[in-house]
Amino acid sequence: MEKNKIYTMKFAKIYPLLVQKAERKNRTRQEVDTIIFWLTGYDEKGLAEQLEQDADYETFFNNAPCINPNCSLIKGKICGIAVESIEDPLVQKARYLDKLIDELARGKSMEKILRKA
């Protein structure tokens, strides 16, 4: 089976795009980082290391300290595909991140984005 191109995309190239998307809607880099920390378990140091090492998405998610168990609560469509129906675990995690940043850019509260009870 051929790997999805998401596997080899450089996270360091995608990260500024995620930040730009948020900032265009008057949200902040700190909010983007908070979402990444929530989803992956990285902290500031861990995120900085992944960016410095120019990690691809596969490495970024495989090295994540702890994928948030509440990520299964993320529902909805990204690029016309329901994130909860994506079978490839890595692609699903990447799409979860996309979905959360979309919600941020659309003005959702951090409490809702981070699936607080």
Side-chain angles (χ1 to χ4, degrees), residues 52-95:
E52 286 167 21
Q53 293 168 5
D54 202 24
D56 57 31
Y57 256 123
E58 183 174 26
T59 304
F60 176 77
F61 281 111
N62 285 345
N63 290 344
C66 178
I67 297 299
N68 194 307
N70 285 343
C71 71
S72 63
L73 301 175
I74 302 168
K75 306 275 188 238
K77 292 190 174 182
I78 193 87
C79 300
I81 298 167
V83 292
E84 60 272 23
S85 70
I86 297 172
E87 291 184 14
D88 183 312
L90 180 89
V91 174
Q92 187 176 49
K93 289 173 197 149
R95 293 304 185 200

Side-chain angles (χ1 to χ4, degrees), residues 9-38:
M9 289 171 45
K10 297 294 186 183
F11 184 73
K13 292 216 182 334
I14 301 302
Y15 176 74
L17 301 175
L18 300 174
V19 172
Q20 284 172 12
K21 182 175 192 168
E23 289 177 343
R24 278 196 306 269
K25 300 293 185 170
N26 297 316
R27 302 306 289 255
T28 66
R29 174 185 298 266
Q30 289 76 22
E31 288 174 306
V32 171
D33 289 352
T34 298
I35 288 169
I36 292 170
F37 301 158
W38 178 86

